[in-house]
Amino acid sequence: MTITQLNYVLAVAEHLNFTVAAEKCFVTQPTLSMQIQKLEEELEIRIFDRNKKPIQLTEVGKKIVEQAKSIVNEADRIKDIVEQQKGFIGGDFKIGIIPTIMPTLLPMFLKNFIRKYPKINLIVEEHTTDEIISRLQKGQLDAAIAATPLNENDLKEIVLYYEPFVGYFPSEFRNGLTELSPNDLNVNDILLLQDGHCFTNGILNICKASKLDQSQNFELTSGSFETLIGLANEGLGVTLLPYLHTLNLSEKDKKNIIEFADPKPSREVSLIFPKNELKIHIVDALRQTISGVVKGAIAFQNIAIISPKLNR
């Protein structure tokens, strides 16, 4: 039994296709199949049921895959220990970022990070919070940046910053408001991001609403803040934005911003990674870089953390 064989098993278990798994492992399909077959012969069991389309794990195969994940992770941990001892910070590092954070945060730290750590090949992917949790647990991501707390037992969270929600209220909706409180909000008047965004859950939690009023004859959700701002400017409603997104607004649009009174409803943004702490030296490098650039942009003290998970 070898680590290589276990990696091949994990690839097939993920993709349920020998050809695709071989491509992901950068080997030929016959090579991958032969190595898995050797492992099965050594163990005298079948890991995969090849008679099903797509192929499926056998019952014992499911248990083997779970153990293989632990073994491969521990083997990678040995490599990490050696690299840290040598002072080497490099290699592939795959990070997921949620869509409501990616456009504003990534440009703030990416250039500094790749200049400071040129040997790290940072692979950035955009995913929803649910996708991030799943991919971290499956070992498909090394780390992620998302709104927290997530309260996942097998994941660790390091807080990077706290980001207030702010109101975007064009003049026809302001009604003399100079600052907001949750009582000023009617969730059915707010233009929201589409389902699947934890930012929408945060807004619903601020409004103490578990769902939209389905009796409304006008309901609109969008996938981007730019669309919501454009619709608000057309008089179709109001919306809430994360504070960092407002920094790049035009001077005209900035006039539509209304901040919340203290304590300001805010989201907690954290660096998330598996508890096995693989590549922890790169996680720490990311934390230091991001904290350094964000510290100057956000300096709010009196805040109230809003959960990214919808309160029921």
Side-chain angles (χ1 to χ4, degrees):
M1 184 187 306
T2 67
I3 298 296
T4 298
Q5 288 173 330
L6 296 180
N7 274 316
Y8 291 168
V9 167
L10 292 178
V12 176
E14 177 182 349
H15 301 288
L16 299 178
N17 184 294
F18 278 85
T19 302
V20 174
E23 291 174 355
K24 297 296 183 180
C25 293
F26 304 103
V27 296
T28 65
Q29 191 265 328
T31 297
L32 179 137
S33 296
M34 181 182 66
Q35 288 299 320
I36 291 178
Q37 187 175 347
K38 281 185 176 180
L39 179 59
E40 289 178 321
E41 290 172 353
E42 178 184 341
L43 298 175
E44 297 182 345
I45 51 90
R46 289 293 177 192
I47 299 173
F48 298 100
D49 184 345
R50 295 164 176 79
N51 294 322
K52 294 183 178 179
K53 301 295 181 182
I55 61 171
Q56 298 293 323
L57 284 163
T58 62
E59 287 305 311
V60 70
K62 293 176 183 178
K63 297 178 181 179
I64 288 172
V65 164
E66 288 306 308
Q67 190 61 38
K69 288 178 182 177
S70 299
I71 293 170
V72 170
N73 282 340
E74 289 306 311
D76 288 341
R77 180 70 178 133
I78 292 174
K79 295 177 185 177
D80 283 349
I81 292 170
V82 173
E83 289 179 354
Q84 290 179 59
Q85 185 66 29
K86 293 179 178 178
F88 176 77
I89 302 180
D92 290 346
F93 191 85
K94 191 174 290 188
I95 184 168
I97 307 178
I98 61 174
T100 58
I101 290 176
M102 171 93 85
T104 49
L105 182 61
L106 190 61
M108 293 178 70
F109 80 85
L110 184 59
K111 186 175 181 179
N112 285 343
F113 185 79
I114 59 178
R115 183 174 61 238
K116 189 172 182 179
Y117 303 101
K119 294 181 180 179
I120 296 176
N121 178 33
L122 194 65
I123 303 165
V124 184
E125 300 179 359
E126 185 176 272
H127 296 293
T128 64
T129 300
D130 287 344
E131 290 170 341
I132 278 174
I133 292 171
S134 175
R135 288 173 179 268
L136 283 170
Q137 291 171 336
K138 292 177 180 178
Q140 296 169 353
L141 289 174
D142 296 306
I145 299 173
T148 54
L150 299 179
N151 300 317
E152 296 290 331
N153 292 332
D154 51 353
L155 301 178
K156 282 191 172 184
E157 302 170 0
I158 298 178
V159 177
L160 295 171
Y161 58 91
Y162 299 100
E163 181 177 26
F165 293 78
V166 299
Y168 190 86
F169 281 58
S171 57
E172 60 265 42
F173 296 100
R174 296 178 78 92
N175 298 321
L177 288 173
T178 57
E179 63 179 12
L180 288 176
S181 79
N183 293 331
D184 296 320
L185 303 176
N186 181 337
V187 70
N188 293 297
D189 294 334
I190 299 175
L191 300 169
L192 298 171
L193 292 174
Q194 63 196 28
D195 287 344
H197 288 276
C198 61
F199 195 81
T200 296
N201 293 342
I203 292 175
L204 293 175
N205 288 336
I206 292 173
C207 298
K208 297 181 173 60
S210 61
K211 62 181 179 179
L212 296 175
D213 181 358
Q214 297 303 317
S215 66
Q216 291 288 106
N217 60 8
F218 174 79
E219 180 182 335
L220 180 79
T221 57
S222 172
S224 74
F225 289 122
E226 285 71 22
T227 301
L228 299 182
I229 290 169
L231 294 171
N233 288 340
E234 291 298 317
L236 293 177
V238 301
T239 193
L240 297 186
L241 303 172
Y243 174 78
L244 285 179
H245 194 89
T246 68
L247 300 182
N248 296 321
L249 293 179
S250 67
E251 291 304 313
K252 179 181 177 181
D253 286 345
K254 284 182 179 179
K255 294 178 181 179
N256 295 327
I257 295 298
I258 305 180
E259 293 188 1
F260 278 88
D262 290 342
K264 301 182 188 299
S266 303
R267 63 176 176 177
E268 178 184 272
V269 177
S270 298
L271 193 57
I272 309 158
F273 52 95
K275 279 191 174 178
N276 59 27
E277 297 189 351
L278 290 176
K279 304 184 181 179
I280 189 63
H281 52 307
I282 300 181
V283 170
D284 192 54
L286 268 171
R287 179 192 61 77
Q288 292 183 34
T289 302
I290 295 172
S291 297
V293 297
V294 172
K295 190 178 295 182
I298 298 182
F300 295 92
Q301 302 297 326
N302 193 352
I303 59 174
I305 305 302
I306 303 299
S307 172
K309 292 190 173 183
L310 188 59
N311 295 330
R312 297 295 182 181

